[in-house]
Each structure stands twice: as C-alpha cells, then as structure tokens.
Amino acid sequence: MPTSLALQLSQIASGSTHSLNLKAQRKAHSQSLIFDPDVAAGQDFNTIYVLCLEGYQELCLLDQRFGRFKNTLFSEESKNRERTQMTESENGLLDRVLEDFLGLVGGRLLLRPAIKAVEWLIRRFRVHEYNTTFLLLTFLPYHTAPIFPVLLSILPHQIPPALRFLHPYRQANTSPPRHAIVYSLATHHPFNAALNSYVLRVTKAQQHHHALLAFWSANLAEATTATLDIARSGRKAVQAQNEQDVLIRLLPVLNEGLAAKQVPELRIGCYMILVVLATKAELNDTVVLEIMKAVVAGWTEDTASDGLVCLALLMERRPSVSLPKPMIKTLTSLTGLSSTLQAISQRYRVKRLILALLSSLTKQIAASGATKNLHLVEELLLLPVLGRARSVSALKAIMVAAQELKDGTDEDGGTRARLGDLLLRLSDSATLGPAVVEALQCPGVDIDLLEMKLQTVLPRRQLPAAVQPEDQEMLDVEPGPDSQTAFENALSKLPSRTVDEVSFLSAKPSHLFGQLINVFLLAVPSSTRAQEFSNLPVLRRDSAMNDPLLFTFFIRTWCGPYPAVVRSVALQIATATLSSQQEQPADLQALLPYFVHALADSSKAVRQSAANLVLACSKAYEGINRRKGSKQGSIWAQDDFYGNQKESRAVDWLNVDQARKVISEVFVPGLEECILDGKHVEGLALSALKSSKAGQNGTDERCKILKTADREALFSFFASHASKTPLLAVRSSLLRMLNQVSKVGKTKRTTLLLPLLRDWASEDTAELRKTCTSQRVKFEDLEAEMVRAVEPRTDEGMTALQSIASGELGRRRPNLYAAVFSYFRTSWSTLKEEARLSLARFLLQLSLSSVQADSAKGGSPADARECLRALQLSPDILTALVDDTLAAAHMEPGSTPVKRRKLDHGRLAPLSQPDPKPASDIIEQMTLVLELVDTSKPEFHQPLLKRLFHALERLQELKLELGSELAYLESLVLGSLLSIARQYKASLYILLLSYRLHISSTSRQVQNEALLLVAALAEIAPESVLHSIMPIFTFVGPSLLRQDDDFSIHVIDEAINRVVPPLVDSFRKRNQDPVVGTADLLWSFTAAFQHVPTHRRLQLFTSLLRTLGESEFLFVLLVMLADKYGGKEGAEKFAVELAGQFEASTQFNAVTKYLDVLANALRPKSNKPRLLICLDGSDGRDASEATVHLLSVLAKLLSSMRLKSQLANNSGSGIGQDGKQSTVAGILEKILDLLDTVKNREKGKLFGIMEAKPALTIIPTYQFIPRVATLLKEASDAHVQHAAIACLDTIIEKYGKSTADVVVAAAEVIGSEGLGSGGGRIKVAALFCLRTAVEVLGAATVPVVATALPKALGLLETSMHSESESPQVCSAIFAFLSAIVATVPWMVTPQYLDTILKLVHRSTRGALAPVAQEDSMYALRLIAVHVPAKDCFAAIQRALPEAIAAGPLAVTQHLELLRLSIEKHPNSVIVKHSQLLVDILLGVYDLRRVQASNTSNSSFTVEEVGAIEGQARDCTIKMIMKMNDAAFRPLFVKLLEWADIGLPKKDRRGRVLRLTAIYGLIEEFFNTLKSFVTSYSSLPLENVVDVLKNVKLEDHDHQMLWATVLRALRHSFANDQDNFWQSPSRLSAIQDLLLAQIGQAHGVPGGDDVVVPTITELAVAVDSIDHRKDINAGIMKQLRAENARVRLTAIRCEEALTGRLGEDWLALLPEMLPFISELQEDDDEQVEHETEKWIVQIEGILGESLDAMLR
C-alpha cells in the first residue's frame, strides 16, 4: 500500500462515482450558461431565481405567450422542486412543460433575457441532463454563436445517440461547422429523424421562427442531395432500393410540412427539398404528379411564387404536358400568374409548365367552349420564354381546337369571336406574328376553314394565286351536306327586295347587310353558291350599272374585316359583274378609293383580285366618250353612292377624262408591282399628287404626268371620299396617304380636311370606339391620323389644334388631346419662329390653367406642361417667356402693359398683355418658366442673364409680400446664373446679390446655390470677390454648416477649395501675414463648430486645414478651439483627433507655435497673439480658467495614442530620431519656462503635459527629475504638489531602472514630503508613486522602504481612527504594502507582519470601505505567497487571539490566509510545520467552547461558529492532503486526545463542545477521503462508545454531539470497502449500542434522519447474513417498544433496509411476519399507516401479496 496519502486520494477522485459525493454534486451545481463554474458553484437557488426571473419577465414583455409559464417553471415553488424526488409521471409532465418553453424561446436565444430564462431551466430542472436532445436541437440553429460551445461544455458525458456527432466538438470546446451537421444529417438517420420531428412539433405548436426553419431547410436540402448521391453507388437494384428508402423517410415529413398552411417558411423549405428530390432522384410520373398536387394544395399568396418554382422543376421530370383539372383551377385563380412565371423564368426553367397550362386550357376551351381563361392563354403565349417551336406548337393546338369547335358548344358564336380576336392580336404582335403564320402552315390546320369558323382574316405568308370565278379549282369544292343545308336555310330567310336601302355605304345602319354577309360567308366555299348569291334579286345585279346596291355590298365586304378568301371572292364577283355589263359603259370613279385600298391589302390574292377589277374599270372607260369636259351626270352612282343625295353630291368628283387618266395612266401601269408589294399603291398615288416629273419616288416611268389641275382635282377627290366614307379602314388608309402631302397647287390639305377633323372631334368617344372595334380598326391610330390631317403651320390649322387641346372643340377626348400634344412635339421643328412662340405661350397658359386631367373640357395642364418641356425652346422664346412672366409679376390693376420688344434678328414679336393676376398665379407661372430655363442649358443663353437678375429681384419683393422663402425659385435662378457664370465672366453684381440672398435666406438650397456661385466667381474674378467674401463665411455658421446632406457637404468643399487658396495668395502678394488675414475666416468656422453635425466635423476642418496649409494654420485652429470651447470634453477630444490627421512633425510644429502663442499671451504687453487669444481678462473671462483650458488641450494633444503610434512608426512621423529628441526637448524647455509665468494651479497642467507618454518615448526626461523634486519641496499649492508627484510617477515607471540613483533620491523626497504633510490626495499620489518605485527598482529602494514603511503603517492606523482621511488613503497604503511584500518580502519583519495582521483585523470592524477591504485581502494573499512559511505560520498563530477578538470576519480572513499558505507551500514544508499548524487549528476548533464559556462577551453566533469550523475543516483537509499516513496518524491521535482529555474532568460541557468540533472534522475526513481512511475508525471507536452510552439527549449540546457522531459513523460505514466493520470485535462494540439509539432518536429533533441512515449503512457494510439477522433482531425488539415513536422509528429503519438491500434483506421476512401482523393492528394510527407503506414496499419487491402470509 502506498505510504503517500495524496496518492491514495488521487485514486479515489479518479474512480469514485458515488451519489453522495458532495464534490460531484457541487460540480453538477456549477454547470451554467452564464457564470464561470467557480462563481456558479457558490450561488444558491434564491440568487439564481432572482436573476433568471428578470430575464423571464423581459421575455413576457416581448411575447405574451411566455406568461403561461409564470405559475409553473418560474413560480416561487419551483425553487424547491427537485427532479430526483419526483415520480415518473410528474417528471413526464414536467418534460412536456420544459420542452414547450424551449420551443417557444428558441427564436430569441440570441437575446440576453432568453439565455437568463434558459439558465433557470439548466440550474433548477437540469434540462441539459434530462432533456438533452430537445435542448440541443433548440440551440442547434445557433451553432455558430458563442453560446453553443458553452452549452456543449455543460452536457453530460454521454451525449444522446442521435447527436453523437457533437462529441468531438464537446471535447474541443468549439462550435461544429456547417458541413459536419450536413454530413450527419445525410449519414446519421436518427439525427435526421430527430431534427425533422423537432421542427414539425415546434411548427404545430406555432413556436417556429426564421432561424430554425432556415437552418432546417438549407441543411436538409443539402443533406438530401448528399444522401441521394451516396445512394447511387452499387448495382441498379441497390440504387433503386436506396432511393426508395430516402423517399420513404422524407415524403411523410414533407407531406406534413406542406400541410402547415399558416407557416410559409416551412412550406418553402419543403419546396426546396422537393426540388432536390425532383432533380436528383428517379421518380415515376405518378409520384411526381402526387407531389405536384401536394404542392398546389393549400398554398397562399406568400408561398405561391415559390410553389410555382417547385412545380416548374417538377414538371421538367414529367413525360407528359398535361395537368389535372383541380390543379388547373388553382393555378388559374392566382393573381398575376403570367407575370410571376416571367419573373421565375429569369432563373428557372418554366417552359414545360407553361406548355402544360396552355395544353390543358386549350382542351378545356375545345371541350366546353369556356373562354374565361382566354386572357391567361394570351398572356402565357406572349411571355418571351417558350421559344419559336413551342409557341408554334401551342398556337397550332389553339387553331385545331377552334376548327373542331362544334355549334352545340358555341351556340351564340362568342367563343369563336373571342378566339378570332385572340389570333388577330397575336398575329399583330412583333414576337408572335411569325409564329402565327407558321402555325397556319402546319399540317392539320385548314386556314380557310379556320377563317370561316372564326369569321375573321388571318395573316398568310404564302397564298395561292387568285382565280377567276370560272376557275373551278378554287371555288368548286364539294360542300358538305351540313354546309349546303345551312346555306339554303339562310338563303330562304333573305327578303327578295329592299325597302329603302340604295347603298350599303350609307352612314345609316343597314338592317340587311348583316344577313347578307352571313349568307355570303356560307356561299364562298362553293362557286355555285357564290354565283347563286350574286344573282339574288335583292342585290339587283342586272341593274348594277345604274343601282349601287350590289357594288357597295361587295365594297363593304372586301374592305371589311373578313377572311382573305371572302375579300377576294367579293372582288372577283364585282369584276365579273363589271365585265358582263361592258355594253353599258359608265364612269366608275366611285370605285377608285376602294380598289386603291384593296391594292394595299396584306393578302396577295386580294391584291390580285383588285388588280383584275382595276383592269375591268379601265376597259369600261373605253366605251365612254372621251371628250374634254364630259358632264358629271355620266358618273356612276353620283347621287346615291353614300346613300342620300346630299352626301353623295358633296363629293368632289373628277371629270371623266381625269378619272380615266388616273385609272389608266397612273394605276394600271403599276398593277404588277402592286400585286407583289401592297405598299406600292401608296407610292403611285403620292407620285400622282406630289410630282410633275415621271419616275419620282420610284414610280413606274409609264405613269403619265398629270397637270396641276388634275392633281388638285385628284387631291380633293381623295379628301372628300376620306370625309364621306363610313368605312374607317378606308378612311385611315386615305388619310395616311393624304397626310404626306401638304398641298397640291393652291389646294391645302388643311382646307380640305379641317371640317372632317371638326366633325370627328365633336363625336362621342364611346360610339367612335365601338365603331372602330366592330370594323377592326385601331382607334388610337385613327385618331392620330385625324389630327395629322391639318397642318399647324397654317393659322387655321394651329387654331383648330389649339381649340381641341383647350377643350373648345371636343369634350372628354383624352386620346385626341394626347394625339394633339404629340403632334405639337413632332411638328415643332417645321414651325416658324413666330408660330413656335405663339404655341409656347399657348402651352404655357394651358399649363397654368385649373383644368384637371379628368375634366370634361380640354387636355390636362400636366400634359401641356410635359409637352412644353419636351420642346426645344430657343433663346428668343425663353427670353420672351421670361419677359411675359416679369410683365405679369409687375402688372397691377390699372397699369399699362410693357412695350412690345424686338427679336434679336430685328423682327417684331407679339408680346402678350397679361391681365392682373394674384400672387399665387404669378408664382406658379414663374416656377414653370424658370424650370424651362433651368432645363434648357442656360449656359448657352447669355441674353437671359439680365432678365434672370430681374427675376431674382422680383422674387425678393414677392418674398416680402408673401412672407415666404420661395427657396425653390431662388435656387432655380441661382442655378441658371451659376451655369452662365461658369461659361462667361460675370460682374461683381452677382456676388453682391448672392451674398444678399445667402444671408437673408434660410433655405438650404438657396444658400447652396449662392455659395456655389460665389465659388465659381472666385475663380473668374478673384480680386473682385475675395475682399467681399468674409461676410458670407461669417453667416455661414448657423445656416449651411449645420446641414447634413451630401450636397451641402459638396457645396462647402467647393467653396473652401475655390475661395480659400486665392484668399491666402492675395495676402502673401501684399506681404501680409496670412494668419492675421485669415483669422476672421477661421474664427467663423470655429464659431460654427457646435453647429456642424458630429460625424462631419473632422472631414470639414481637415479639408479646411489642408487647403490653407496644415503646417501654418493647424496651431491657429487648435488655439481657437481650446480658447472658445476649452473645458468641453467633446471639443477637446475633437482637437486631438483633428491633430492626429497629420504627421507627427506637423503636430510637434503646431505644439511649438501653440506654446509661443500661449507664452506671448501671458506676457503683459503682447500684441500679435491677441488676434488669436486674450488672457488678460479684458474680455470679461477668468484668465486663469482660460489658461487652464488651453493647457488641458495641449496635454491631451501630447498624450494622444495616435501620436504615440506615429512616433513608433518612424515612416509615419515625418522626422528622424534626432529630430524627435531635439523637437521634444524644445517643447519641454518651453513648458519649463512657463513655470515662472503661470500660477500654481496652471503649473499642475504643465506637469500633466510633461507626463505625456508620447513625449517621454522620445527624450530621456529623467534630467527633469531633480527640478521637479525641488519644486515638490518648495511648492505650497496642493495642485502643484499632486501634479509633480504624478509627473514623477510617470517618469519613474518609464525610466526608473536606468536612473536608479536619481529616482531613489526623488522617492525619498516623496516619502518625506508626500507622507509627512498635505491632504489625503497628496498622500494617495505619494503612496502610489512609492509603489511604482518599489516595483520598478526592487532592492534598490531598501532605504526608501525602511523610512516609508513605518510611516505608511502609522498612517494606516491613524486612518482607521480618523474620519477625515479618505478610503483612498487606506487603499493606497495596502497597495504600497503589496508592492513591498511582492518585491522585497524580507523587509517585512515579524514585527511588521504582526502589525499588518493586527491592522487588517481591525479593518474588519467597519473601519475601511469595501474597496480598501479588497485591497487588504490582496495584501494578505501576497503575504501567504511571498513570506517564508515559518514567519507566516508563526504570525498567524500569534495574531489568532487578535483575530478572534476582532470578530467573525477577521477570523475568516485569518483562516483564508492560513489556507493560502498551506496551498502555496510544498509537502515537506507542511510536514515540517505540522505541529504548529495543528496548534493553530486547535485554537480555531476551541472557539465553540470559548464562546460558550464567555456567554456575556460572546461575539459569535452559532451559525458563525459553524461556518468558521467549516473553514477550519477545509484547511485541515488541505493540510492532510500534503501529508502521509505516518505523519498524520499521530496528529489524529493528538486531536482526539485534545478533545477527550485535554480539559479538566469537571469541565464536562467544554469536553462535549470540543468533541462536537472534532467529530465534525472526522465526519468531513471520512466523507472526503472515503475508504482509504476507514481504518482510522478504530482510533475514536472507544470514545464513540463512551459518547453513545453516556449522552444526555435532553441537553442541546449533547444532541449536537450525538448527531455528529452518528453522521461520522455513517460515512465510515458507507466507505468501508475493506470489510473493516465485519470484524466481530469492532462490530460487537458498536452494533447493540447503535441499535439502542432507535429508542432514543425520538428525543432529538430530526433524530430519525440521523439514526436510520446510519443503521442502514451498517447493514450494508456487514455483508453477512448472520450479522444482518442480529441487526434485524435488534430492530424488531424496538417494534414492540411501549413508545409509539420508537416503533415508528424502527419501522422506518426496516423500510430503509428493505429499499436498500431488497431481496437480500427480505430473506429475513419469516422472522418479520409476526411483527408486521401485530403492527397492522397497532393502536397508533401513524404506526399503522407506516406499516402499510412497508408492506406495499415488500410486495413490490417480491411481486406477490403478503395477505396469505399474514393470516
């Protein structure tokens, strides 16, 4: 067996896990999230509860849901709840409450209150042990936060298997990286399942938060990717099975997550994981479809966008492009589906999803005819996502669906009409137009059938050539039986004649045309039916050359919105009719505008048919008499072409010769080109109208030249037909052609078409739009052509347009107004100057009108203003507008208008004569005009300069009149002036005016503009500007400098950079001092310092200094700041920061000049510095106060850490080492020179300057030490003495070691002067300075210590008895003593040591402040460490009586000193002085007896004595740990003898009290050292027997001894691992006596709690059935005791033994049964109840009832 007791104890500590290990319990209690273990171990639950309750209450303020835990987890009763004493059901209920709270607090774990609340769960309910998994999952989203490693450090050793991957990071005390978590999620399925379960549980409880869901979704998505990658290894079958396993694990979780409709983030996370599954796993179509259904079900507006992304990516995995009806219904109900898909397409593939939507919607239309989602189809097709091929495919599906649409499905034709409109709109689209044409060519699409079905015309890329009616290949198509029947039925319903219709081109609506066109559409597919239709009696084909009904029907058909084949057939029938009646020649010029329109058709077949009609018309003229001047009466349908005679005769008809020439000589030669190109016919017409030269504009050279009269007639002819035709498409094409011709001869377009525009403007918009829609003409385009029909260059045209714009002509026509304003903009460049000016004035007046945009009359002022701003206004027009505005501003009622002015080129311009206006209207007009000037590049409009100044002056007058700043207008004028000033040199008048504005305006913008103007002028004319600049800067402080916007900063920088350099140069040129000249400027900026925003100050003043030159002006600004703002912390700090922006050399230069200024200011007759500062009191200030402020700033400048770093880095200082020393030496010389000038108070500041560490790092300042020491002797002012000592302290700290002799001499002066006299402040400084000297010089300070130490101790004793001395003095003394003990401990003699301990003990009586008490304890710790053991232990023994006399706190400090000494010294030293140590400890253990014997003088309570004994036991155990068995055993015997026989026999009470103290030590001894010291139990055994035999339990002291002895025995029994107590001799000595205590326990309060555990441990220790029988027999004797309380104790003892030993103890049950049976009928109810509990316990162990045994 090892002889070293320490070795034995280390083995115990490493292997012991016993539940009664108090050290382990203490360690468990020290587990904390907030506190260090040492601090946490010393806290009780009351302290923890108060702290954590505060955090919980703050959480309740954040979220009311925390309130439900007020009466459970955070109630007062929770402090007493111990989980180990709760039942399983109670713990289960508690777990649910704890996990509920953790789930709720999870979102706030980065807040301090939340951590406090969780701290309570850890400390009280030990959630880190009982709820480890839930707690870790709650904290896991914050695994990168600093709190997570702390949590890992307090976890139990065995981490739950689901989270075992955290074990390495727990050992390393670091946070787990993200990749480790992802890897564990991918490979460790229990962790994956635990996290998923936790997230779903928290979400269901509505306790989710962003950090959790983001952590879960991101990591699980990445882990799923890794899992699927891993699953791909192995054979295909294995891969498939692995993927199946992944799906089985994930899909239920995702399904449950998708069901959480109220948690958008969870659904989005599920979408992410589903996307991973879709892209990584091999999913069949059924699974993908079910997943898509789950995604769509229950989504909200918040999750729809992300759900669409998921759907799109899932759709990419499906082979088919169809969607079920419920999904289609959900998707189409989304708002903005197409725009959302377009946004998604920027990052994800959505083509297949769009195709699926289009396919499904198309099928719905074909099946049901429902078109409610047709707009969505159009929006999806127009998305730039599908591509050409997919768009064609989708369009083809729509066309096929339209072809197959049945009449029963679309009875009213609405579906066909809407599908036709859709295809037409798509064909007009620039992106989808080619795709529509290509789809029409696809197999399965019958374009003719489609056009017939939809009753519309679709674009074709290539169509077969037009055929004549006799060509059977086109028209002889065998009609189906249904088509023929429908035709015959429709034909039978037609009337045989008309009632009053003579023409289908009448303005009146026709009641017959609708029926005829429907029948004609049925007839077109068959030539037979077409021929039959043309011969209808109602059309009167036989009289077609006299009656216009047939031709007007087919005109309206080929010019209408019908299929190309229909238009072509109409032209062909008209041609055939004309050809068949050649024997009746007629002038068919009425057809000219309409076949011109047909020649421009988009269909080549139609153009071919139209060309045939032109040729037939040309042949018709061959039979007409061609004599000149043929009568107009021969013109076909001259009287009834447009219905009534008046309308028809209003047409400007051509004569026959003119008509023949136009048809035969203009159009016929170009028919081939017209067939090839539909735009060619417009060129032919324009060539006939515009030119007298053949071949112009690319026309055919065969065209004959028309005379001017012919061209005028043709021009009027086309214009009149454009006015009269009811076919808007024809009108639009004619106007488009005519609008390209201004006039022909003397005939102007405006004259011809102005009536048409007036009539159009007067029509109702709704009716016009309805007509345009029915005729498939774009309303906006037609309105634009109508407006362009008149020319603004003509007076009547401009008047008409202005009438429309102003609302005089036309009401509620916003499109027409917009077209007029657009026409103004496009025609502006064609107008003359006068017309432009007139239009600009009109737009200006309209812009200022009160008409609103939605009013019934006129365009809105906003549109007029926008149009006016878009025009390129010339300088003359701008000048005229400004003049008009100024005239209106100066106009008063009754005054005459200003004279008209001349334009620059000499022509007169009309000047409007404004009426008197109110000021608000004038302001509005000036605003608009000045904005126009500002946006028109005023730098190029120098003539505006003078008028802008007039405007500025007028603004000043208006400001006074209105009482308003008008800042915006002033800013506009100044901005324009600034632009002109930068372009041209301006006069000083600008500066003066700008100055006037600057100081009078409070507007930030005006001030900015004015200052920028001044800055610009400073570069243009510096000599004229600079001498007037100062007033502006004088007023800039309270206004501009306080602004915080970027533009104001820019303005100030511009002003400084442009104004200041010329200003300084001007002073230098005149040989003036720049400092004196710019003093006012710098004072202005200094005065404005407090107005400048804090974050802008440094940049502003740095820029100012760099512009001026920091080497010359830094000191000036520092002096001014110190003088004006000295004593203000913010200003002084700023001055230091400002100086730090420059090199060290610049700063030292500034300090040197700073000192010169200060020295000159302090002299009686100083002139120059008075320009900067004044210290003679003439300004009313305290000169001394101002000097102190100046010196304070200087001290902070030299103490700057920035300066120190610059000096440490030679490259950034700007000077070399030699230069540094000479510069700083000069500075210190100047400071010392000031000592003779300044007062005592100011000398302290000078010493503070010399303390500046940056300066001390440069030059060896020790040469000043003697002078400072001399000053300390001679000074009488306390401030000077304190500053001198502080200066010496700094110097000693820096250079003490290199100048030991000088420092020691100075220290002696400090010891004599500083400690000998002066106030407490001086003594504190002196003591700290002496401490520094001792710490720096060490043994060299022995002479100083020898004289200073007695003084310090005497001063300490005096301070304890004096109320005048401050606590800082005592603190400083202890600091000095600590330095001596730590540095020269041999100087602390036993006498000094006794004195120190005595004074420390006295200090515990309240003589010292808490801070000084802490310092005294620190000194004691140093004594324990540094003073030799012999001296220390001896002093402790000598001072013990003094400590006891001083009170409990002194004894506590004394024992703490002893403990530290024992811990510090090695084993050998402790063994050597063990007797001395035991004597000290015995003196403490005797405290209980001493206090009891001196009842009247007792100063210790029982609790205090107990605490002191506990501290003494701790010291004893630490001493024992450093001793071996051989050394300690005699001491143990000595302790026993001291307690047992150390007192006279008559002092029985003293013996009992001593034994109580010693047995308390023995109890701790056995409990701490356990089985290694069980053998020591034999030493006190005899005394134990004696105590138990002779104890008198009616006495309180005896009760304490009795309980202590039994507890000591219990620990001895419990740690018996060597069968020590199985020895019969030992067992017999104690067994019966111990069992007898059952009968005495009732006499002691809590006696059962002592006796029962002791007997139980004895039974466990004696592992023998015989011994246990004896013990049981002794207990059963007590079961029949007379006293019921004795029986009750015996039953409890049996219960404890049964619970501890179980079946081993119940082997004695047969002996117990009779006694149990008797106890069941006991007279005492409590005994009977306890017996029943014992029976239940026995039955639980045996598993059977005792009823049969007890019968």
Side-chain angles (χ1 to χ4, degrees), residues 1102-1286:
T1102 303
S1103 175
L1104 176 64
L1105 286 174
R1106 293 193 187 279
T1107 306
L1108 286 168
E1110 61 269 22
S1111 59
E1112 295 184 69
F1113 290 91
L1114 176 59
F1115 83 96
V1116 180
L1117 200 55
L1118 293 176
V1119 169
M1120 290 180 175
L1121 287 171
D1123 184 53
K1124 186 169 182 62
Y1125 302 105
K1128 296 181 179 179
E1129 181 66 24
E1132 293 182 353
K1133 183 179 179 180
F1134 171 76
V1136 175
E1137 190 175 1
L1138 177 63
Q1141 300 302 308
F1142 307 102
E1143 292 183 346
S1145 58
T1146 304
Q1147 296 183 55
F1148 282 134
N1149 182 36
V1151 170
T1152 302
K1153 295 180 180 180
Y1154 189 108
L1155 287 170
D1156 291 339
V1157 170
L1158 184 58
N1160 290 331
L1162 292 172
R1163 295 193 182 99
K1165 296 180 179 181
S1166 176
N1167 296 321
K1168 178 179 178 181
R1170 294 182 187 277
L1171 295 173
L1172 300 179
I1173 55 175
C1174 181
L1175 299 177
D1176 58 0
S1178 60
D1179 56 356
R1181 295 187 302 165
D1182 185 356
S1184 177
E1185 186 74 20
T1187 305
V1188 169
H1189 292 162
L1190 289 165
L1191 292 173
S1192 176
V1193 172
L1194 186 60
K1196 292 180 178 178
L1197 285 173
L1198 290 173
S1199 302
S1200 168
M1201 295 304 297
R1202 180 70 180 270
L1203 179 60
K1204 182 176 182 180
S1205 62
Q1206 288 177 335
L1207 293 174
N1209 183 11
N1210 291 326
S1211 60
S1213 62
I1215 51 178
Q1217 185 64 27
D1218 296 338
K1220 294 178 188 177
Q1221 293 189 2
S1222 60
T1223 301
V1224 176
I1227 291 173
L1228 293 177
E1229 287 295 340
K1230 291 180 181 294
I1231 293 173
L1232 292 175
D1233 291 340
L1234 283 176
L1235 288 173
D1236 299 330
T1237 307
V1238 300
K1239 300 178 181 179
N1240 285 335
R1241 179 187 175 189
E1242 296 145 9
K1243 288 180 182 179
K1245 287 293 179 183
L1246 291 175
F1247 281 114
I1249 295 172
M1250 289 192 292
E1251 293 177 46
K1253 292 185 178 181
L1256 295 177
T1257 60
I1258 302 171
I1259 184 169
T1261 325
Y1262 62 86
Q1263 53 187 301
F1264 300 100
I1265 292 178
R1267 185 167 182 179
V1268 175
T1270 302
L1271 181 64
L1272 180 62
K1273 290 182 180 180
E1274 299 174 354
S1276 58
D1277 187 88
H1279 293 285
V1280 177
Q1281 290 179 338
H1282 184 273
I1285 293 174

Side-chain angles (χ1 to χ4, degrees), residues 798-812:
M798 178 63 75
T799 302
L801 292 174
Q802 291 181 0
S803 299
I804 294 173
S806 61
E808 296 176 8
L809 182 60
R811 291 175 177 271
R812 299 188 184 278

Side-chain angles (χ1 to χ4, degrees), residues 1496-1508:
S1496 58
N1497 298 326
S1498 177
S1499 59
F1500 293 78
T1501 63
V1502 175
E1503 290 77 11
E1504 289 172 344
V1505 171
I1508 291 172

Side-chain angles (χ1 to χ4, degrees), residues 284-511:
N284 58 47
D285 188 60
T286 304
V287 175
V288 174
L289 185 59
E290 291 301 322
I291 292 175
M292 293 175 67
K293 291 179 180 178
V295 169
V296 172
W299 66 13
T300 61
E301 293 182 0
D302 296 330
T303 58
S305 178
D306 298 280
L308 283 173
V309 175
C310 185
L311 278 185
L313 296 177
L314 288 170
M315 196 65 203
E316 295 292 328
R317 307 291 292 177
R318 294 195 64 202
S320 64
V321 287
S322 61
L323 296 173
K325 289 184 180 180
M327 192 179 300
I328 290 294
K329 183 178 180 181
T330 305
L331 288 172
T332 54
S333 65
L334 291 178
T335 304
L337 175 61
S338 58
S339 59
T340 305
L341 287 172
Q342 183 175 6
I344 292 172
S345 66
Q346 304 297 323
R347 299 181 60 187
Y348 306 99
R349 293 179 293 178
V350 297
K351 296 179 180 179
R352 289 186 62 83
L353 178 60
I354 295 176
L355 283 176
L357 276 170
L358 289 172
S359 175
S360 302
L361 292 174
T362 303
K363 291 177 181 178
Q364 282 186 358
I365 294 171
S368 63
T371 57
K372 63 178 181 179
N373 294 320
L374 203 56
H375 70 284
L376 179 59
V377 173
E378 182 178 3
E379 293 172 358
L380 294 176
L381 285 170
L382 290 172
L383 293 179
V385 176
L386 292 178
R388 182 67 171 269
R390 292 183 176 88
S391 298
V392 170
S393 176
L395 288 167
K396 177 186 174 183
I398 295 173
M399 294 173 184
V400 172
Q403 285 180 185
E404 297 175 352
L405 198 63
K406 298 180 180 179
D407 294 338
T409 305
D410 183 27
E411 295 180 356
D412 60 352
T415 301
R416 295 186 184 93
R418 283 186 281 274
L419 283 173
D421 292 341
L422 170 64
L423 291 175
L424 286 175
R425 287 195 299 273
L426 295 178
S427 64
D428 293 336
S429 170
T431 55
L432 281 182
V436 173
V437 174
E438 186 175 348
L440 288 171
Q441 310 301 322
C442 291
V445 178
D446 187 343
I447 185 170
D448 293 326
L449 178 60
L450 183 61
E451 288 182 334
M452 292 297 299
K453 282 275 189 178
L454 302 181
Q455 296 186 7
T456 188
V457 183
L458 298 174
R460 310 186 189 197
R461 177 173 299 173
Q462 294 179 351
L463 295 174
V467 296
Q468 300 300 327
E470 60 268 23
D471 191 346
Q472 298 303 313
E473 291 182 0
M474 174 177 180
L475 296 178
D476 287 343
V477 179
E478 286 297 330
D482 294 339
S483 176
Q484 182 64 29
T485 303
F487 173 72
E488 292 174 354
N489 292 335
L491 198 63
S492 64
K493 296 178 182 179
L494 289 176
S496 59
R497 50 179 287 179
T498 63
V499 179
D500 56 355
E501 290 196 54
V502 295
S503 173
F504 287 111
L505 294 180
S506 174
K508 295 180 180 179
S510 172
H511 65 278

